[in-house]
Every structure is written in structure tokens, then in C-alpha cells.
């Protein structure tokens, strides 16, 4: 393992255009559960009688906003979570001019809290909310005032989180920016993701650079195509390779 960490450290030292692509595993070390593991959000028994994927879909949200808001406020909001070593290391790499961008499937804002400036949020963020009727925007504390449907203070419309629900498409501008960054990168580091969620996972196919690195506890379908695979906690890897180096 030390040889792999040294190899990653060497590549980071030589590269000047690194892109990071991350998933839920990046935030589990901050106390935010992932979705599909045995201890994940989707594995937990809920009292609403529907599968989580159904509750978090566009059609269900429109038909049953009361259940949607009750479920999402109870299971998806972790306002007290703090950035971990991975988030901090990526912000450091951007600060010293090595990291081009963070492309994330997460909706928890932890990359921004750590100091990262260019964060492409493929699935949106819970920290931005908007009224579906008048368009007014609201922060997370406004949404957390109660457990029911969040309503606009001005017009009474439903205030929904600016996230991509099931059945909804990803933002085209965000996708295009991610494709361009990945295509221009000399190293792509993929971490904390099983690469099973599409279309996000398909973005990796645009990479044409020197080094593809995968850091994930479990195997992925891209392991054989990677130049380096590290099956360790991503926070521990970045602590040793970045934070103790720079």
C-alpha cells in the first residue's frame, strides 16, 4: 500500500491539471451515510410505505409533497457535518494550482465548506432552495424551521431543494463543464463512488489524460482500466498523500 500511496504522491507532484470526481463515499467520513450500502440511507426502514427511490422521484414529489418533505428532512439533511481530510486536501490542491475542479455527485456542500472554489455539483445541492411559484431563493436554515412542506414567505408556493430528483435530467451546463474539465485533465482521481449511477459515471469515458486513479473501499467496473487502484478510506489516503505533504 505504501508503494501505491507514493505513486499517487509522485503523480500529484508532476501534474498541473488534476480533476477529482467523487461520490457518497467522500462524505461518509464526515458522518453522512451513503445511499446503497448495508448501512446506507436506502437500507433504513422508513415509516412511509414507499421505497426511498420512489419518495425521491419527481412524480412522487409533485403528488405527495408532505411525505417527500418529511422523509428528506429526516434522512438527507446533515447541517452539522464538517469537511474531512479528503475535502480539505482537495481544497489545498486547488489553492496551490494543481486541481482544476471537483466534480461531485454529493449534495452536502462540504467541498465548498472546505474551501474549494470550482465545484461542479452534478446532482445539485440541498443548500440552495427555490420557490416553484415565484422563484425566490432560500437557504437551508429556512427549510429546516419545520418538518412539513416548506412554503415561500412571499407567495406561499412550495420551496423545493435545488437537487436532481429521480426522473429529472442533470443540468446541461454543469454536464458540459464537467466533460470539458475531464477531457483536458492530465490526471483524473475518482474517489468514494461505486460508479453505478448514470449518467454521472459515464463522464469518465471523456478522460484522455495520463493517469486514471480510483480510490474506493469496494471494487468498481472501471478498476481494470485504471492506472492505479487504492482500496482504502479516501480521507486517510489524502491525509497521507496531500495534507502531510503540502
Amino acid at each position: 500500500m505504501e508503494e501505491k500511496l507514493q505513486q499517487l504522491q509522485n503523480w500529484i507532484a508532476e501534474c498541473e491539471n488534476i480533476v477529482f470526481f467523487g461520490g457518497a463515499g467522500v462524505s461518509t467520513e464526515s458522518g453522512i451515510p451513503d445511499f446503497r450500502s448495508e448501512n446506507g440511507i436506502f437500507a433504513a426502514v422508513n415509516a412511509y410505505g414507499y421505497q426511498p427511490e420512489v419518495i425521491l422521484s419527481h412524480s412522487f414529489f409533485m403528488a405527495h409533497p408532505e411525505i417527500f418533505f418529511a422523509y428528506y428532512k429526516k434522512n438527507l439533511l446533515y447541517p452539522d457535518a464538517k469537511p474531512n481530510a479528503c475535502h480539505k486536501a482537495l481544497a489545498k490542491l486547488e489553492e496551490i494550482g494543481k486541481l482544476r475542479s471537483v466534480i461531485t455527485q454529493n449534495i452536502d456542500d462540504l467541498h465548498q465548506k472546505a474551501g474549494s472554489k470550482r465545484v461542479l455539483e452534478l446532482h445539485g445541492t440541498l443548500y440552495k432552495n427555490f420557490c416553484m411559484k415565484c422563484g425566490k431563493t432560500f437557504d437551508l436554515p429556512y427549510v429546516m424551521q419545520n418538518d412539513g412542506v416548506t412554503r415561500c414567505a412571499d407567495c406561499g408556493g412550495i420551496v423545493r431543494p435545488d437537487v436532481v430528483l429521480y426522473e429529472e435530467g442533470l443540468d446541461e451546463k454543469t454536464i458540459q463543464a464537467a466533460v470539458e474539465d475531464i477531457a483536458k485533465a492530465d490526471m483524473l482521481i475518482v474517489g468514494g463512488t461505486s460508479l453505478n449511477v448514470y449518467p454521472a459515471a459515464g463522464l469518465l469515458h471523456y478522460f484522455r489524460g495520463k493517469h486514471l486513479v480510483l480510490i474506493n473501499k469496494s471494487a468498481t467496473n472501471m478498476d481494470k482500466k485504471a492506472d492505479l487502484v487504492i482500496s482504502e478510506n479516501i480521507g486517510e489516503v489524502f491525509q497521507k498523500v496531500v495534507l502531510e505533504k503540502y
Side-chain angles (χ1 to χ4, degrees), residues 61-62 69 72 125-140 142-143 149-163:
F61 167 71
M62 298 300 293
F69 276 97
Y72 120 79
T125 173
L126 292 171
Y127 283 75
K128 296 177 183 177
N129 303 269
F130 65 92
C131 175
M132 299 174 65
K133 187 175 181 180
C134 73
K136 184 176 180 179
T137 58
F138 297 88
D139 59 14
L140 187 59
Y142 181 87
V143 173
V149 177
T150 302
R151 294 282 181 178
C152 176
D154 288 354
C155 74
I158 293 178
V159 175
R160 63 159 285 178
D162 193 10
V163 297

Side-chain angles (χ1 to χ4, degrees), residues 23-88:
V26 172
S27 295
T28 53
E29 292 173 54
S30 292
I32 299 178
D34 61 13
F35 287 89
R36 293 174 174 79
S37 71
E38 61 181 29
N39 296 316
I41 293 172
F42 285 1
V45 176
N46 69 75
Y48 306 103
Y50 301 92
Q51 292 296 319
E53 294 93 330
V54 173
I55 296 176
L56 298 176
S57 67
H58 175 83
S59 56
F60 189 92
F61 167 71
M62 298 300 293
H64 308 283
E66 297 84 2
I67 298 177
F68 170 88
F69 276 97
Y71 179 84
Y72 120 79
K73 290 182 180 182
K74 180 179 179 180
N75 295 279
L76 270 64
L77 300 182
Y78 292 84
D80 297 327
K82 300 292 190 295
N84 60 51
C86 177
H87 300 106
K88 295 175 182 177

Side-chain angles (χ1 to χ4, degrees), residues 91-235:
K92 171 59 70 173
L93 290 177
E94 183 185 50
E95 179 186 330
I96 63 178
K98 287 190 169 293
L99 187 77
R100 165 68 175 170
S101 64
V102 170
I103 302 170
T104 181
Q105 300 174 81
N106 296 336
I107 54 178
D108 52 41
D109 226 36
L110 289 180
H111 287 293
Q112 291 90 331
K113 289 180 179 179
S116 291
K117 304 301 182 186
R118 182 170 173 79
V119 181
L120 302 177
E121 298 170 307
L122 298 176
H123 297 149
T125 173
L126 292 171
Y127 283 75
K128 296 177 183 177
N129 303 269
F130 65 92
C131 175
M132 299 174 65
K133 187 175 181 180
C134 73
K136 184 176 180 179
T137 58
F138 297 88
D139 59 14
L140 187 59
Y142 181 87
V143 173
M144 295 180 65
Q145 291 179 8
N146 58 67
D147 296 330
V149 177
T150 302
R151 294 282 181 178
C152 176
D154 288 354
C155 74
I158 293 178
V159 175
R160 63 159 285 178
D162 193 10
V163 297
V164 179
L165 301 176
Y166 288 98
E167 303 171 349
E168 296 180 341
L170 304 187
D171 178 73
E172 291 185 8
K173 290 184 178 179
T174 304
I175 287 292
Q176 185 60 38
V179 167
E180 292 177 359
D181 283 4
I182 290 174
K184 295 176 182 177
D186 49 16
M187 178 160 71
L188 177 61
I189 303 176
V190 181
T193 173
S194 61
L195 295 176
N196 289 327
V197 178
Y198 284 81
L203 295 175
L204 271 62
H205 297 296
Y206 291 94
F207 179 63
R208 298 292 184 270
K210 298 178 182 177
H211 310 300
L212 174 60
V213 179
L214 299 185
I215 308 172
N216 197 55
K217 291 288 288 183
S218 58
T220 77
N221 55 20
M222 289 288 287
D223 284 6
K224 293 182 179 180
K225 297 182 179 180
D227 300 298
L228 181 64
V229 177
I230 301 176
S231 303
E232 299 290 336
N233 290 328
I234 192 167

